[in-house]
Amino acid sequence: MTGHAAMRPEIALSWKRSALSGLEPSSTPTGDPCSDLDKSSRLLQAARPVLDEMEQQIQGTGFCVLLADRDCRIVARLFDGPTLERLIDGAGAVLGSRFGEDCVGTTALGTPMEVRRGVVIHGEEHYLERFKDLSCYGHPIVHPVTRRVEGILDMTGVASRANPLFAPFLARAAGDIERRLLEGSRVSQQRLVDAFQRVSPQNQMAVTAIGEDILLSNRVALDLLQVSDHATLRGLAADLRPERSKTVRIQLSSGEPALVRADRVAGTDGGAVFVVRPDRRTSTPIRRGKSPSSSVVERSRSELSRLRETRDPVVISGEPGTGRTTAVRDLAGDQSFVCMDAAAIALDGAEAWVDRLLTLAAGPSAVLAVEEVQLLPESMLPLVVKMLAADAGPRIVMTSSPLGDLPPGVAGLVGRCPGQVVLPPLRQRSREFADIAQGILDSVDPGLRLTASALDALIARDWPGNIAELSVVLQAAAGRRTSANIAVADLPDQYRTPTRVSRLAGRERAERQAIVDALQECGGNKVHAAAALGISRSTLYVRIRALDITV
């Protein structure tokens, strides 16, 4: 190895990722060892017979075998003798230690996890100096059903070049583990089916069972629950231990309140059975074909409908992309209206912009909309205040960013509007998300539908661009689809959020967003992001893996 320029491309990229993680070649990583490993995990259960056979096969070879889980934490080790074991211990590859690229740089455990394929690492290609006497090959273990990387199988020896026999040997062993994972998945599914069947015949209740890659519903649940309700139910069971239950009151996507009992099923990968009973005591009639009046959107529409009957000035506030301009059109109804966008002041000049505003105010239009009023300079605010107080002329409707973000002068301006409508951001409308998305798809092609997995992935996003961003994403997906159903594979790459993220509870989702924001602000530097968050770098690495954050 003569330098960075002589590296294989995959090694050069791995070194770059390692450096961005705050590592230096001379670093001595801790690996953040965990003493409380789950020895009954599905991966270890599937791998144990294969590892027992491999232990016999590597005797006298001078090699060792390491198994890491999906968090790149070492969960099993095999050695041909104590000498190599002491060497590997000295390198920090102990049980429970994390060997992701963000912790130890380029290795045959962390790098295959990043690229999702087998990778050979020759001695000098390791990023950290302490590993350059070792050569290794790592092969990912991919679940045959979910296609998720469940772990990494690694073979390591003391040599400058990795043995070419590593690849076929480990590929065969990884394939054996994958087949056993499939058998275990079938057992897990059968346990969930059994639990579902024990409950579903009772009293015509709505019963559904949700696992990693299976969903069962009786006829009552099919009629009662919508796709977005399944995402809500997954979140209820996210923090339940096996064989534990809890009962909570929720509001279904239909607007109907309901009591839900969630029962985690032991021996499944997070599977749970849900019994849903509509809470008739607090239920209100729902008119067919219309959204319930209790929904956020319907409340906004009701307020707009009420304000339409008055001439009071109105301010419509919300984040960009929440539909403020659409709400202005809804408020105007059949009346004629014109718009002035304060963002145009920077292009047209203040004097020309004011002249046009006054011309429109003297014109025949019934409604004059002034958009993005938070961009108005202080010198223009008195003019707009006079327009609000005028008895003659068009009705004034303004749009603005969220009220809490307004400059003091603009806040005083909007405070003079008797009518105020607040449009919530898309991330706070998970129960309505399916209807919003379907409405957009209907405008693109009435025959299009989102699959449940695609809907889960989209709901998991934070949507800083709100409905406008969602519209762009769905139009792109519609152009890439191969059928009438838009699947996860049809979504743009950055929107294919892991299903596990969509199941995070509110606190974990907020924690995930805080970490994502810190990483963006620090340009991907984990050391600086950890400092900004007030946590250690090792803790940050753990949470990045646990919350499926891509860096």
Side-chain angles (χ1 to χ4, degrees):
M1 190 69 59
T2 59
H4 194 277
M7 289 182 183
R8 292 182 286 146
E10 60 267 34
I11 301 301
L13 287 173
S14 176
W15 277 44
K16 183 176 181 180
R17 291 193 298 268
S18 302
L20 289 173
S21 296
L23 296 175
E24 297 180 357
S26 60
S27 298
T28 303
T30 63
D32 190 30
C34 173
S35 58
D36 187 23
L37 293 176
D38 182 6
K39 297 182 179 180
S40 63
S41 69
R42 189 170 64 177
L43 174 64
L44 275 177
Q45 288 179 349
R48 191 164 288 116
V50 180
L51 293 176
D52 290 343
E53 183 178 354
M54 295 180 74
E55 189 169 23
Q56 299 299 320
Q57 294 170 336
I58 66 171
Q59 292 305 310
T61 63
F63 300 129
C64 73
V65 173
L66 304 175
L67 175 67
D69 62 15
R70 70 178 64 159
D71 294 323
C72 241
R73 197 175 292 279
I74 297 175
V75 296
R77 307 188 307 167
L78 307 175
F79 299 96
D80 82 326
T83 302
L84 183 57
E85 182 174 2
R86 286 193 294 270
L87 179 63
I88 296 299
D89 284 346
V94 299
L95 280 177
S97 61
R98 282 202 60 244
F99 256 60
E101 279 190 345
D102 51 5
C103 289
V104 298
T106 305
T107 69
L109 288 173
T111 302
M113 180 67 74
E114 295 288 340
V115 300
R116 291 179 60 91
R117 60 178 175 81
V119 176
V120 60
I121 310 292
H122 301 302
E124 287 295 319
E125 291 179 331
H126 287 93
Y127 183 74
L128 297 191
E129 297 289 345
R130 66 186 308 173
F131 299 134
K132 292 186 182 293
D133 291 333
L134 304 173
S135 288
C136 45
Y137 176 81
H139 194 92
I141 300 169
V142 181
H143 195 288
V145 176
T146 65
R147 306 309 301 167
R148 181 175 62 188
V149 176
E150 295 288 344
I152 301 293
L153 197 59
D154 163 273
M155 196 165 188
T156 296
V158 181
S160 60
R161 305 288 294 178
N163 192 307
L165 296 178
F166 283 2
F169 179 66
L170 283 192
R172 183 171 61 252
D176 291 341
I177 296 174
E178 289 170 355
R179 283 188 288 275
R180 292 182 59 83
L181 280 172
L182 179 59
E183 294 170 2
S185 178
R186 289 168 177 162
V187 171
S188 173
Q189 287 184 1
Q190 188 58 53
R191 287 174 177 165
L192 191 61
V193 170
D194 292 342
F196 170 76
Q197 290 177 335
R198 285 195 297 270
V199 177
S200 61
Q202 300 180 20
N203 301 327
Q204 297 298 310
M205 296 180 297
V207 181
T208 186
I210 303 176
E212 181 68 22
D213 48 16
I214 186 173
L215 187 149
L216 305 168
S217 294
N218 65 2
R219 184 171 296 278
V220 180
L222 287 173
D223 292 338
L224 182 66
L225 303 178
Q226 300 179 23
V227 174
S228 55
D229 293 322
H230 297 150
T232 301
L233 295 179
R234 289 180 191 273
L236 293 180
D239 58 348
L240 273 181
R241 295 180 177 274
E243 298 185 339
R244 299 297 296 273
S245 302
K246 69 177 179 182
T247 301
V248 297
R249 178 175 282 105
I250 68 170
Q251 187 177 52
L252 302 177
S253 296
S254 64
E256 189 169 12
L259 290 173
V260 178
R261 191 187 79 229
D263 299 300
R264 273 290 298 273
V265 181
T268 65
D269 189 11
V273 175
F274 305 88
V275 178
V276 185
R277 299 182 180 88
D279 190 358
R280 307 295 182 185
R281 294 171 301 171
T282 58
S283 179
T284 56
I286 300 175
R287 293 173 291 176
R288 181 174 299 179
K290 295 188 177 181
S291 301
S293 60
S294 58
S295 73
V296 177
V297 170
E298 189 63 27
R299 285 200 301 271
S300 298
R301 288 176 178 171
S302 296
E303 181 66 6
L304 287 171
S305 178
R306 184 188 69 80
L307 292 171
R308 193 180 297 126
E309 305 303 320
T310 73
R311 289 199 76 259
D312 293 333
V314 176
V315 61
I316 299 172
S317 62
E319 295 180 2
T322 50
R324 295 172 298 183
T325 301
T326 301
V328 171
R329 295 193 183 99
D330 190 13
L331 180 63
D334 297 331
Q335 296 177 306
S336 60
F337 76 97
V338 288
C339 290
M340 287 291 293
D341 192 338
I345 296 174
L347 298 175
D348 301 339
E351 185 176 351
W353 192 89
V354 169
D355 287 343
R356 175 163 172 74
L357 177 66
L358 293 175
T359 299
L360 293 177
S365 297
V367 175
L368 171 58
V370 182
E371 299 203 75
E372 306 291 359
V373 294
Q374 74 276 3
L375 300 179
L376 289 174
E378 287 282 341
S379 60
M380 291 187 186
L381 296 182
L383 171 62
V384 181
V385 169
K386 289 182 179 180
M387 294 174 63
L388 293 178
D391 294 329
R395 181 184 191 179
I396 305 300
V397 178
M398 300 185 294
T399 69
S400 78
S401 57
L403 300 180
D405 299 337
L406 297 178
V410 178
L413 171 66
V414 302
R416 294 172 178 267
C417 295
Q420 297 194 2
V421 178
V422 177
L423 301 180
L426 185 57
R427 61 181 172 274
Q428 295 178 7
R429 299 168 63 177
S430 58
R431 290 195 179 106
E432 302 165 286
F433 195 97
D435 291 335
I436 295 170
Q438 190 57 55
I440 294 173
L441 288 178
D442 288 344
S443 68
V444 176
D445 185 338
L448 296 181
R449 296 290 183 271
L450 281 168
T451 65
S453 297
L455 182 61
D456 273 353
L458 292 177
I459 289 176
R461 302 289 299 182
D462 292 300
W463 298 105
N466 293 290
I467 296 175
E469 180 185 359
L470 176 61
S471 180
V472 171
V473 170
L474 292 179
Q475 289 182 47
R480 300 171 57 175
R481 65 187 172 87
T482 56
S483 70
N485 292 326
I486 294 178
V488 172
D490 299 321
L491 300 175
D493 291 344
Q494 64 270 34
Y495 292 89
R496 300 174 190 177
T497 307
T499 303
R500 192 166 81 180
V501 176
S502 69
R503 302 180 188 177
L504 295 178
R507 180 187 62 79
E508 289 180 316
R509 189 169 293 193
E511 178 188 3
R512 185 179 189 276
Q513 186 58 42
I515 293 175
V516 169
D517 290 344
L519 287 169
Q520 289 177 345
E521 291 173 2
C522 297
N525 188 304
K526 297 184 182 69
V527 176
H528 295 166
L533 292 166
I535 59 178
S536 68
R537 190 173 69 181
S538 60
T539 299
L540 177 62
Y541 293 151
V542 170
R543 300 312 295 161
I544 286 174
R545 288 291 183 185
L547 298 173
D548 268 341
I549 297 172
T550 302
V551 293

